[in-house]
Amino acid sequence: MSAPATNVIAGVDIGGTATQVVLCTPQLEIIGRATTPTPRGGDAMIDAAVGMIAGLVAEHDTELLGVGVGAAGVVDSVAGEVLVASDTFVDWAGYRVAAELRRRVGVPAFLENDVNAFLTGETAAGAITGATDALAIMIGTGVGGALWVDGRLFSGPHGAAGEIGHMPGFGDAVCSCGRHGHLESVAAGRQIALRYREAGGDELRSAEIARRAEAGEPRAAAVFRTAGRAVGQAISAVSALVDVTTVVVGGGVSNAWGLLAPAIDGYLSDEPPVSGLPIRIERSTLGKDAVAVGAASRVRTELGL
Ligand SMILES: [Zn+2]
């Protein structure tokens, strides 16, 4: 007689360039993962996820209990439906992700916004495990945010709570949305590259500008200092409103942590929180797995595992 198959949860991270699936135990230990470039079109995106889930489940001889998805854009996390998607995603706005996955895979499925999933993952099994009041900031192509209040995700009535990327008050540079002075206009990867060029620098990606800053180039260092101080300012504003004690920062630009962290700390020592208590600021420890693990964590909570 063979041993009973291990119970697992699949977490899916559907991003603009790649789709990742992790297979986790109910304790959120990762036992397998797969990645593929995100195809064009809602049906193709779901096909890709379903294919990877089936492959991993077969490979590891496991019993799948549920599927969680973290996806960019505005989502209805109760209905499991995408409400608003960026131009990168074709036939995705209006897509009933949870229902389609439930039909295709035959297990309960749930959809969450990617930054909300990132925060859920980091509080469940990452850098801020057990935190009760936290802000998550994801700095990549854009800037996303999410709030964890009193031990749970706080999304607000429109799913927009904690979305600090397009909050004004950060200078007057043009933002990716076309308006001026938003946090994203100085802190997001593409915007860091634009600000560097405006300052007379070369046309480079933000990761390369970070390397120049680390090597001591003042112009590159100044752009990252502005980005980090802006993130500090956003943390200060959020903590004044909802008294978060903890912040977790992820996304590709956070790889330049050695540049960002001192600038964030610098702002917060100039403008300490009204509570008078320091705010704990951590870099993501789940890294590229954070959204998928967070989506799996949502399944664990929903199914009471
Ligand atoms: Zn904006």
Side-chain angles (χ1 to χ4, degrees):
M1 214 173 78
S2 61
T6 315
N7 287 336
V8 290
I9 305 166
V12 185
D13 173 5
I14 299 182
T17 53
T19 296
Q20 189 189 202
V21 175
V22 299
L23 215 55
C24 306
T25 66
Q27 292 72 42
L28 301 179
E29 289 163 61
I30 297 172
I31 60 171
R33 49 162 80 69
T35 307
T36 192
T38 301
R40 279 174 69 83
D43 287 334
M45 286 154 72
I46 295 299
D47 278 346
V50 168
M52 285 190 286
I53 293 166
L56 285 169
V57 166
E59 182 189 335
H60 294 274
D61 183 28
T62 47
E63 169 93 29
L64 187 65
L65 301 178
V67 178
V69 177
V74 182
V75 310
D76 181 332
S77 65
V78 177
E81 184 179 325
V82 178
L83 298 178
V84 183
S86 75
D87 300 342
T88 351
F89 297 96
V90 181
D91 296 331
W92 192 232
Y95 204 96
R96 299 178 69 226
V97 177
E100 189 59 17
L101 277 171
R102 202 174 301 138
R103 189 180 73 76
R104 297 274 306 270
V105 189
V107 293
F110 305 92
L111 175 68
E112 194 59 82
N113 161 270
D114 58 350
V115 187
N116 287 357
F118 164 74
L119 174 54
T120 304
E122 293 291 343
T123 56
I128 57 166
T129 301
T132 55
D133 296 270
L135 166 70
I137 308 175
M138 273 186 100
I139 317 173
T141 312
V143 175
L147 274 176
W148 194 259
V149 176
D150 205 13
R152 64 181 60 201
L153 202 59
F154 179 78
S155 346
H158 311 103
E163 282 298 350
I164 56 177
H166 299 282
M167 191 161 75
F170 299 84
D172 57 8
V174 182
C175 187
S176 54
C177 68
R179 298 204 297 279
H180 292 257
H182 294 172
L183 173 59
E184 185 164 311
S185 73
V186 287
R190 282 186 194 159
Q191 304 294 316
I192 284 174
L194 284 172
R195 303 291 85 84
Y196 182 66
R197 244 162 57 207
E198 282 171 3
D202 297 327
E203 188 163 345
L204 296 171
R205 293 171 67 88
S206 64
E208 183 58 35
I209 299 165
R211 274 190 283 280
R212 288 195 176 184
E214 278 152 6
E217 189 196 292
R219 187 154 45 196
V223 171
F224 270 91
R225 184 171 178 277
T226 301
R229 286 189 65 88
V231 171
Q233 184 185 335
I235 292 170
S236 171
V238 172
S239 80
L241 285 175
V242 286
D243 194 18
V244 290
T245 58
T246 311
V247 177
V248 61
V249 186
V253 173
S254 71
N255 289 329
W257 195 237
L259 300 167
L260 291 177
I264 296 171
D265 291 345
Y267 185 91
L268 290 170
S269 58
D270 293 347
E271 293 287 342
V274 280
S275 67
L277 298 168
I279 298 172
R280 176 184 163 211
I281 297 167
E282 303 283 353
R283 183 184 176 189
S284 159
T285 53
L286 294 173
K288 283 186 185 319
D289 294 330
V291 171
V293 170
S297 176
R298 161 94 190 271
V299 178
R300 179 172 76 160
T301 305
E302 293 281 355
L303 300 183
L305 301 174

